[in-house]
Coordinates of all heavy atoms in Angstrom, one line a residue:
M7 N 7.5 -23.3 -2.7 CA 7.3 -23.2 -4.1 C 7.3 -21.7 -4.5 O 6.7 -20.9 -3.8 CB 6.0 -23.8 -4.5 CG 5.7 -23.9 -6.0 SD 4.1 -24.6 -6.4 CE 4.5 -26.3 -6.5
E8 N 7.9 -21.3 -5.5 CA 8.0 -19.9 -5.9 C 6.6 -19.4 -6.4 O 5.8 -20.1 -6.9 CB 9.0 -19.8 -7.1 CG 9.3 -18.3 -7.4 CD 10.4 -18.3 -8.5 OE1 11.3 -19.1 -8.5 OE2 10.3 -17.3 -9.3
T9 N 6.3 -18.1 -6.1 CA 5.0 -17.5 -6.3 C 4.6 -17.6 -7.8 O 3.5 -18.0 -8.1 CB 5.0 -16.1 -5.9 OG1 5.3 -16.0 -4.5 CG2 3.7 -15.4 -6.1
S10 N 5.5 -17.3 -8.7 CA 5.2 -17.4 -10.1 C 4.8 -18.8 -10.6 O 3.9 -19.0 -11.4 CB 6.3 -16.8 -11.0 OG 7.5 -17.6 -10.8
V11 N 5.5 -19.8 -10.0 CA 5.2 -21.2 -10.3 C 3.8 -21.5 -9.8 O 3.0 -22.2 -10.5 CB 6.2 -22.1 -9.7 CG1 5.8 -23.6 -9.9 CG2 7.6 -21.9 -10.4
R12 N 3.5 -21.1 -8.6 CA 2.1 -21.3 -8.0 C 1.1 -20.7 -8.9 O 0.0 -21.3 -9.1 CB 2.1 -20.8 -6.6 CG 2.7 -21.8 -5.6 CD 2.5 -21.4 -4.2 NE 3.5 -20.4 -3.9 CZ 3.5 -19.7 -2.8 NH1 2.6 -19.8 -1.8 NH2 4.5 -18.8 -2.6
I13 N 1.3 -19.5 -9.3 CA 0.3 -18.8 -10.1 C 0.1 -19.5 -11.4 O -1.0 -19.7 -11.9 CB 0.8 -17.3 -10.4 CG1 0.7 -16.5 -9.1 CG2 0.0 -16.6 -11.5 CD1 1.3 -15.1 -9.2
Q14 N 1.2 -20.0 -12.0 CA 1.1 -20.8 -13.3 C 0.3 -22.0 -13.0 O -0.6 -22.4 -13.9 CB 2.5 -21.1 -13.8 CG 3.2 -19.9 -14.4 CD 2.4 -19.2 -15.5 OE1 1.8 -19.9 -16.4 NE2 2.4 -17.9 -15.5
N15 N 0.5 -22.7 -11.9 CA -0.3 -23.9 -11.6 C -1.8 -23.6 -11.4 O -2.6 -24.3 -11.9 CB 0.2 -24.6 -10.3 CG 1.5 -25.2 -10.5 OD1 1.9 -25.6 -11.6 ND2 2.3 -25.4 -9.4
I16 N -2.1 -22.5 -10.8 CA -3.4 -22.0 -10.6 C -4.1 -21.7 -11.9 O -5.2 -22.1 -12.2 CB -3.5 -20.8 -9.6 CG1 -3.1 -21.2 -8.2 CG2 -4.9 -20.2 -9.7 CD1 -2.9 -20.1 -7.3
L17 N -3.3 -21.0 -12.8 CA -3.9 -20.6 -14.1 C -4.1 -21.9 -14.9 O -5.1 -21.9 -15.7 CB -2.9 -19.7 -14.8 CG -2.8 -18.3 -14.2 CD1 -1.7 -17.5 -14.9 CD2 -4.2 -17.6 -14.4
S18 N -3.3 -22.9 -14.9 CA -3.5 -24.1 -15.6 C -4.8 -24.8 -15.2 O -5.5 -25.4 -16.0 CB -2.3 -25.0 -15.6 OG -2.1 -25.6 -14.3
Q19 N -5.0 -24.8 -13.9 CA -6.3 -25.4 -13.3 C -7.5 -24.6 -13.8 O -8.5 -25.1 -14.1 CB -6.2 -25.4 -11.8 CG -5.2 -26.4 -11.2 CD -5.4 -27.8 -11.6 OE1 -6.6 -28.3 -11.5 NE2 -4.4 -28.5 -12.1
I20 N -7.4 -23.2 -13.8 CA -8.5 -22.4 -14.2 C -8.8 -22.7 -15.7 O -10.0 -22.7 -16.0 CB -8.1 -20.9 -14.0 CG1 -8.1 -20.6 -12.5 CG2 -9.1 -20.0 -14.7 CD1 -7.5 -19.2 -12.1
N21 N -7.8 -22.9 -16.5 CA -8.0 -23.1 -17.9 C -8.8 -24.4 -18.2 O -9.4 -24.5 -19.2 CB -6.7 -23.1 -18.7 CG -6.1 -21.7 -18.8 OD1 -6.8 -20.8 -18.9 ND2 -4.8 -21.7 -18.9
K22 N -8.8 -25.3 -17.2 CA -9.6 -26.5 -17.3 C -11.0 -26.3 -17.0 O -11.9 -27.2 -17.3 CB -9.0 -27.6 -16.4 CG -7.6 -28.0 -16.7 CD -7.0 -29.0 -15.7 CE -5.6 -29.3 -16.0 NZ -5.0 -30.2 -15.0
L23 N -11.4 -25.2 -16.4 CA -12.8 -24.9 -16.1 C -13.6 -24.5 -17.3 O -13.0 -23.9 -18.3 CB -12.9 -23.8 -15.0 CG -12.2 -24.1 -13.7 CD1 -12.2 -22.9 -12.8 CD2 -12.9 -25.3 -13.0
D24 N -14.9 -24.7 -17.3 CA -15.7 -24.2 -18.4 C -15.9 -22.7 -18.2 O -15.6 -22.1 -17.2 CB -17.1 -24.9 -18.4 CG -17.9 -24.7 -17.2 OD1 -18.0 -23.6 -16.7 OD2 -18.4 -25.8 -16.6
Y25 N -16.4 -22.1 -19.2 CA -16.5 -20.6 -19.3 C -17.3 -20.1 -18.1 O -16.9 -19.1 -17.4 CB -17.2 -20.1 -20.6 CG -17.4 -18.7 -20.6 CD1 -16.4 -17.8 -20.9 CD2 -18.7 -18.1 -20.4 CE1 -16.6 -16.4 -20.9 CE2 -18.9 -16.8 -20.4 CZ -17.9 -15.9 -20.6 OH -18.1 -14.6 -20.7
K26 N -18.4 -20.7 -17.8 CA -19.3 -20.2 -16.7 C -18.6 -20.3 -15.3 O -18.7 -19.4 -14.5 CB -20.6 -21.0 -16.6 CG -21.6 -20.5 -15.8 CD -23.0 -21.2 -15.9 CE -24.0 -20.6 -15.1 NZ -25.3 -21.2 -15.2
S27 N -17.8 -21.3 -15.1 CA -17.1 -21.5 -13.9 C -15.9 -20.5 -13.8 O -15.7 -19.9 -12.7 CB -16.5 -22.9 -13.8 OG -17.5 -23.9 -13.7
R28 N -15.3 -20.2 -14.9 CA -14.2 -19.2 -14.9 C -14.8 -17.8 -14.6 O -14.2 -17.0 -13.9 CB -13.5 -19.2 -16.2 CG -12.5 -20.4 -16.4 CD -11.7 -20.3 -17.6 NE -12.7 -20.3 -18.8 CZ -12.3 -20.6 -20.0 NH1 -11.1 -20.8 -20.3 NH2 -13.2 -20.6 -20.9
L29 N -15.9 -17.5 -15.2 CA -16.6 -16.2 -14.9 C -17.0 -16.1 -13.5 O -16.8 -15.1 -12.8 CB -17.8 -16.1 -15.8 CG -18.5 -14.7 -15.9 CD1 -17.5 -13.7 -16.3 CD2 -19.7 -14.8 -16.8
S30 N -17.5 -17.2 -12.9 CA -17.9 -17.2 -11.5 C -16.6 -17.0 -10.6 O -16.7 -16.2 -9.6 CB -18.5 -18.5 -11.1 OG -18.8 -18.6 -9.7
L31 N -15.6 -17.6 -11.0 CA -14.3 -17.5 -10.2 C -13.8 -16.0 -10.3 O -13.4 -15.4 -9.3 CB -13.2 -18.4 -10.8 CG -11.9 -18.3 -10.2 CD1 -11.9 -18.6 -8.7 CD2 -10.9 -19.2 -10.9
A32 N -13.9 -15.4 -11.5 CA -13.4 -14.0 -11.6 C -14.3 -13.1 -10.8 O -13.7 -12.2 -10.1 CB -13.5 -13.6 -13.1
E33 N -15.6 -13.3 -10.7 CA -16.5 -12.5 -9.9 C -16.1 -12.6 -8.4 O -16.1 -11.6 -7.7 CB -17.9 -12.9 -10.2 CG -18.4 -12.5 -11.5 CD -19.8 -13.1 -11.9 OE1 -20.3 -14.0 -11.1 OE2 -20.4 -12.6 -12.9
Q34 N -15.8 -13.8 -8.0 CA -15.5 -14.1 -6.6 C -14.1 -13.4 -6.3 O -14.0 -12.8 -5.2 CB -15.4 -15.6 -6.3 CG -16.8 -16.2 -6.3 CD -16.6 -17.7 -6.1 OE1 -15.9 -18.2 -5.3 NE2 -17.3 -18.5 -7.0
L35 N -13.2 -13.5 -7.2 CA -11.9 -12.8 -7.0 C -12.0 -11.3 -6.9 O -11.4 -10.7 -6.0 CB -10.9 -13.2 -8.1 CG -10.3 -14.6 -8.0 CD1 -9.5 -14.8 -9.3 CD2 -9.4 -14.7 -6.8
I36 N -12.8 -10.7 -7.7 CA -13.1 -9.3 -7.7 C -13.7 -8.9 -6.4 O -13.3 -7.9 -5.8 CB -13.9 -8.8 -8.9 CG1 -13.1 -9.0 -10.2 CG2 -14.4 -7.4 -8.7 CD1 -13.8 -8.8 -11.5
K37 N -14.7 -9.7 -6.0 CA -15.4 -9.4 -4.7 C -14.4 -9.4 -3.5 O -14.4 -8.5 -2.7 CB -16.5 -10.4 -4.4 CG -17.3 -10.1 -3.2 CD -18.3 -11.2 -2.9 CE -19.4 -11.2 -3.9 NZ -20.5 -12.1 -3.5
Q38 N -13.5 -10.4 -3.6 CA -12.5 -10.6 -2.5 C -11.5 -9.4 -2.5 O -11.1 -8.9 -1.5 CB -11.8 -11.9 -2.6 CG -10.8 -12.2 -1.5 CD -11.5 -12.3 -0.2 OE1 -12.5 -12.9 -0.1 NE2 -10.9 -11.7 0.8
L39 N -11.1 -9.0 -3.7 CA -10.2 -7.8 -3.8 C -10.8 -6.6 -3.3 O -10.2 -5.8 -2.6 CB -9.7 -7.7 -5.3 CG -8.8 -8.7 -5.8 CD1 -8.6 -8.6 -7.3 CD2 -7.4 -8.6 -5.1
K40 N -12.1 -6.4 -3.6 CA -12.8 -5.2 -3.1 C -12.9 -5.2 -1.5 O -12.7 -4.2 -0.9 CB -14.2 -5.1 -3.7 CG -14.2 -4.7 -5.1 CD -15.6 -4.6 -5.6 CE -15.6 -4.2 -7.1 NZ -17.0 -4.2 -7.6
I41 N -13.1 -6.4 -1.0 CA -13.1 -6.5 0.5 C -11.8 -6.2 1.1 O -11.6 -5.4 2.0 CB -13.6 -7.9 0.9 CG1 -15.1 -8.1 0.6 CG2 -13.3 -8.1 2.4 CD1 -15.6 -9.5 0.7
S42 N -10.7 -6.7 0.4 CA -9.3 -6.5 0.9 C -9.0 -5.0 0.8 O -8.3 -4.5 1.7 CB -8.3 -7.3 0.1 OG -8.6 -8.7 0.3
K43 N -9.4 -4.3 -0.2 CA -9.1 -2.9 -0.4 C -9.8 -2.1 0.7 O -9.3 -1.2 1.3 CB -9.6 -2.4 -1.8 CG -9.2 -1.0 -2.0 CD -9.5 -0.5 -3.4 CE -9.1 0.9 -3.5 NZ -9.7 1.6 -4.6
K44 N -11.1 -2.4 1.0 CA -11.8 -1.7 2.0 C -11.1 -1.9 3.4 O -11.0 -0.9 4.1 CB -13.3 -2.2 2.1 CG -14.2 -1.8 1.1 CD -15.6 -2.3 1.3 CE -16.5 -1.9 0.2 NZ -17.8 -2.5 0.3
E45 N -10.6 -3.1 3.7 CA -10.0 -3.3 4.9 C -8.7 -2.6 5.0 O -8.3 -2.0 6.1 CB -9.7 -4.8 5.1 CG -10.9 -5.7 5.4 CD -10.7 -7.2 5.3 OE1 -9.6 -7.6 5.0 OE2 -11.7 -7.9 5.6
S46 N -7.9 -2.5 3.9 CA -6.7 -1.8 4.0 C -6.9 -0.2 4.0 O -6.1 0.5 4.6 CB -5.8 -2.1 2.7 OG -6.4 -1.6 1.6
N47 N -8.0 0.2 3.5 CA -8.3 1.7 3.6 C -8.9 2.1 4.9 O -9.0 3.2 5.2 CB -9.3 2.0 2.5 CG -8.7 2.1 1.1 OD1 -7.5 2.1 1.0 ND2 -9.5 2.0 0.1
S48 N -9.3 1.1 5.7 CA -9.9 1.4 7.0 C -8.9 1.9 8.0 O -9.3 2.4 9.1 CB -10.7 0.2 7.5 OG -9.8 -0.9 7.8
I49 N -7.6 1.7 7.8 CA -6.6 2.1 8.7 C -6.4 3.6 8.5 O -6.0 4.1 7.4 CB -5.3 1.4 8.4 CG1 -5.5 -0.1 8.6 CG2 -4.2 1.9 9.4 CD1 -4.3 -0.9 8.2
T50 N -6.7 4.4 9.5 CA -6.6 5.8 9.4 C -5.7 6.4 10.5 O -5.5 5.8 11.5 CB -8.0 6.5 9.5 OG1 -8.5 6.2 10.8 CG2 -8.9 6.1 8.4
H51 N -5.1 7.5 10.2 CA -4.2 8.2 11.1 C -4.7 9.6 11.3 O -5.2 10.2 10.3 CB -2.8 8.1 10.6 CG -2.2 6.7 10.6 ND1 -1.8 6.1 11.7 CD2 -2.1 5.8 9.6 CE1 -1.4 4.9 11.4 NE2 -1.6 4.7 10.1
D52 N -4.4 10.2 12.4 CA -4.7 11.6 12.7 C -3.4 12.4 12.4 O -2.3 11.9 12.8 CB -5.2 11.7 14.1 CG -5.7 13.1 14.4 OD1 -5.6 14.0 13.6 OD2 -6.2 13.2 15.6
L53 N -3.5 13.5 11.8 CA -2.4 14.3 11.5 C -1.6 14.7 12.8 O -0.4 15.0 12.8 CB -2.7 15.6 10.7 CG -3.0 15.3 9.3 CD1 -3.5 16.7 8.6 CD2 -1.8 14.8 8.6
T54 N -2.3 14.8 13.9 CA -1.7 15.1 15.2 C -0.6 14.1 15.6 O 0.2 14.4 16.4 CB -2.7 15.3 16.3 OG1 -3.4 14.2 16.5 CG2 -3.6 16.5 16.0
E55 N -0.7 12.9 15.0 CA 0.3 11.9 15.3 C 1.7 12.3 14.8 O 2.7 11.9 15.3 CB 0.0 10.6 14.6 CG -1.3 9.9 15.1 CD -1.6 8.6 14.4 OE1 -0.7 8.0 13.8 OE2 -2.8 8.3 14.3
L56 N 1.7 13.2 13.9 CA 3.0 13.7 13.3 C 3.6 14.9 14.1 O 4.7 15.3 13.9 CB 2.8 14.2 11.9 CG 2.3 13.1 10.9 CD1 2.0 13.7 9.5 CD2 3.3 12.0 10.8
N57 N 2.8 15.3 15.1 CA 3.3 16.5 15.9 C 4.6 16.1 16.6 O 4.8 15.1 17.2 CB 2.2 16.8 17.0 CG 2.5 18.1 17.7 OD1 3.2 18.9 17.2 ND2 2.1 18.2 19.0
S58 N 5.6 17.0 16.4 CA 6.9 16.9 17.0 C 7.8 15.8 16.4 O 8.9 15.5 16.9 CB 6.9 16.8 18.5 OG 6.2 17.8 19.1
L59 N 7.3 15.2 15.3 CA 8.1 14.1 14.7 C 9.3 14.8 14.1 O 9.3 15.7 13.3 CB 7.2 13.5 13.6 CG 7.9 12.3 12.9 CD1 8.1 11.1 13.8 CD2 7.0 11.8 11.7
G60 N 10.5 14.3 14.5 CA 11.7 14.8 14.0 C 12.2 16.0 14.7 O 13.2 16.7 14.2
S61 N 11.5 16.4 15.7 CA 11.9 17.7 16.4 C 13.3 17.6 17.0 O 14.0 18.7 17.1 CB 10.9 18.0 17.5 OG 10.9 16.9 18.5
E62 N 13.8 16.4 17.3 CA 15.2 16.3 17.8 C 16.2 16.8 16.8 O 17.3 17.2 17.2 CB 15.5 14.9 18.2 CG 15.5 13.8 17.1 CD 14.2 13.3 16.7 OE1 13.2 13.7 17.3 OE2 14.2 12.5 15.7
I63 N 15.9 16.8 15.6 CA 16.8 17.3 14.5 C 17.1 18.8 14.7 O 18.2 19.3 14.5 CB 16.3 17.0 13.1 CG1 16.1 15.6 12.9 CG2 17.1 17.7 12.0 CD1 15.4 15.2 11.6
W64 N 16.1 19.5 15.2 CA 16.2 21.0 15.3 C 16.5 21.4 16.7 O 16.7 22.6 16.9 CB 14.8 21.6 14.9 CG 14.4 21.2 13.5 CD1 13.5 20.2 13.2 CD2 14.9 21.7 12.3 NE1 13.4 20.1 11.8 CE2 14.2 21.0 11.2 CE3 15.8 22.7 11.9 CZ2 14.4 21.3 9.9 CZ3 16.0 23.0 10.6 CH2 15.3 22.3 9.6
E65 N 16.7 20.5 17.6 CA 16.9 20.9 19.0 C 18.1 21.9 19.2 O 17.9 22.9 19.9 CB 17.2 19.7 19.9 CG 16.0 19.0 20.4 CD 16.3 17.8 21.2 OE1 17.5 17.3 21.3 OE2 15.4 17.3 21.9
N66 N 19.3 21.6 18.7 CA 20.4 22.4 18.9 C 20.8 23.3 17.7 O 22.0 23.6 17.5 CB 21.6 21.5 19.3 CG 21.4 20.7 20.5 OD1 20.8 21.2 21.5 ND2 21.7 19.5 20.5
L67 N 19.8 23.8 17.0 CA 20.0 24.5 15.8 C 19.3 25.9 15.9 O 18.2 26.0 16.4 CB 19.4 23.7 14.6 CG 19.8 24.2 13.2 CD1 21.3 24.0 13.0 CD2 19.0 23.4 12.2
D68 N 20.1 26.9 15.5 CA 19.5 28.3 15.5 C 18.7 28.4 14.2 O 19.3 28.4 13.1 CB 20.6 29.3 15.5 CG 20.1 30.7 15.5 OD1 18.9 30.9 15.3 OD2 20.9 31.6 15.7
I69 N 17.4 28.3 14.3 CA 16.5 28.3 13.2 C 16.7 29.5 12.2 O 16.8 29.3 11.0 CB 15.0 28.2 13.6 CG1 14.8 27.0 14.5 CG2 14.1 28.2 12.4 CD1 15.1 25.7 13.8
D70 N 16.8 30.7 12.8 CA 17.0 31.9 12.0 C 18.2 31.8 11.2 O 18.3 32.2 10.0 CB 16.9 33.1 12.9 CG 15.6 33.4 13.5 OD1 14.6 33.1 12.8 OD2 15.5 33.9 14.7
K71 N 19.3 31.4 11.8 CA 20.6 31.2 11.2 C 20.5 30.2 10.0 O 21.0 30.4 8.9 CB 21.7 30.9 12.2 CG 23.1 30.9 11.6 CD 24.1 30.6 12.7 CE 25.5 30.6 12.1 NZ 26.5 30.3 13.2
Y72 N 19.9 29.1 10.3 CA 19.7 28.0 9.3 C 18.9 28.5 8.1 O 19.3 28.3 7.0 CB 19.0 26.9 9.9 CG 18.6 25.8 8.9 CD1 19.6 24.9 8.5 CD2 17.3 25.7 8.4 CE1 19.3 23.9 7.6 CE2 17.0 24.7 7.4 CZ 18.0 23.8 7.0 OH 17.7 22.9 6.1
V73 N 17.8 29.3 8.3 CA 17.0 29.8 7.2 C 17.8 30.8 6.4 O 17.8 30.8 5.2 CB 15.7 30.4 7.8 CG1 15.0 31.2 6.7 CG2 14.8 29.3 8.4
E74 N 18.6 31.6 7.1 CA 19.4 32.6 6.4 C 20.4 31.9 5.5 O 20.7 32.3 4.4 CB 20.1 33.5 7.4 CG 20.8 34.7 6.8 CD 19.9 35.6 6.0 OE1 18.8 35.9 6.5 OE2 20.4 36.2 5.0
Q75 N 21.1 30.9 6.0 CA 22.1 30.1 5.2 C 21.4 29.5 4.0 O 22.0 29.4 2.9 CB 22.7 29.0 6.1 CG 23.7 29.6 7.1 CD 24.2 28.5 8.0 OE1 23.7 27.4 8.0 NE2 25.3 28.8 8.7
E76 N 20.2 29.0 4.2 CA 19.5 28.3 3.1 C 19.1 29.3 2.0 O 19.0 29.0 0.8 CB 18.2 27.6 3.6 CG 18.5 26.3 4.3 CD 19.3 25.3 3.5 OE1 18.8 25.0 2.4 OE2 20.3 24.8 4.0
R77 N 18.9 30.6 2.4 CA 18.5 31.6 1.4 C 19.6 32.1 0.6 O 19.5 32.6 -0.5 CB 17.8 32.8 2.1 CG 16.5 32.4 2.7 CD 15.9 33.6 3.4 NE 14.5 33.3 3.9 CZ 13.9 33.9 4.8 NH1 14.4 35.0 5.3 NH2 12.7 33.6 5.2
E78 N 20.8 31.9 1.1 CA 22.0 32.3 0.4 C 22.3 31.5 -0.8 O 22.0 30.4 -1.0 CB 23.2 32.4 1.3 CG 23.1 33.4 2.4 CD 24.3 33.4 3.3 OE1 25.2 32.5 3.2 OE2 24.3 34.3 4.2

C-alpha cells in the first residue's frame, strides 16, 4: 500500500476519535518523535575519521604547480 494512502487511512481513523483522544495521540506522537531525534543525534563522528580521505587524488600531483595554475 502506498504511503500517502496509508496516511490518509490513519487520518480518517484519527478523525473518528474524540478531542481528548486526538490530543493524547498527538502528545504520544510528539514524544516518539523527540525520542527518535535523540537517537539519530546520538551518532557522532570524530573529525580524525576524515584524515587522509581523498588523499589518493593528490598522490601523483605537484601541489605547488596545481596551486599556481589555479591562481592564474
Side-chain angles (χ1 to χ4, degrees):
M7 185 182 275
E8 192 176 322
T9 302
S10 61
V11 173
R12 282 188 277 175
I13 291 171
Q14 288 303 319
N15 288 337
I16 292 168
L17 289 174
S18 70
Q19 294 296 314
I20 291 170
N21 287 332
K22 294 176 185 177
L23 299 172
D24 60 48
Y25 175 78
K26 192 172 182 178
S27 297
R28 285 185 297 198
L29 189 58
S30 173
L31 176 62
E33 290 170 349
Q34 290 176 47
L35 284 171
I36 289 169
K37 185 186 288 186
Q38 185 62 42
L39 287 170
K40 286 180 179 179
I41 291 170
S42 296
K43 184 177 182 198
K44 284 181 184 177
E45 290 172 355
S46 67
N47 287 343
S48 66
I49 300 171
T50 59
H51 294 279
D52 189 353
L53 284 177
T54 57
E55 292 177 27
L56 300 175
N57 189 27
S58 300
L59 184 65
S61 61
E62 66 278 358
I63 296 170
W64 304 98
E65 272 181 349
N66 299 319
L67 192 64
D68 180 350
I69 302 300
D70 293 326
K71 187 175 180 179
Y72 174 79
V73 170
E74 187 63 36
Q75 288 175 346
E76 288 299 308
R77 289 179 179 163
E78 293 176 357

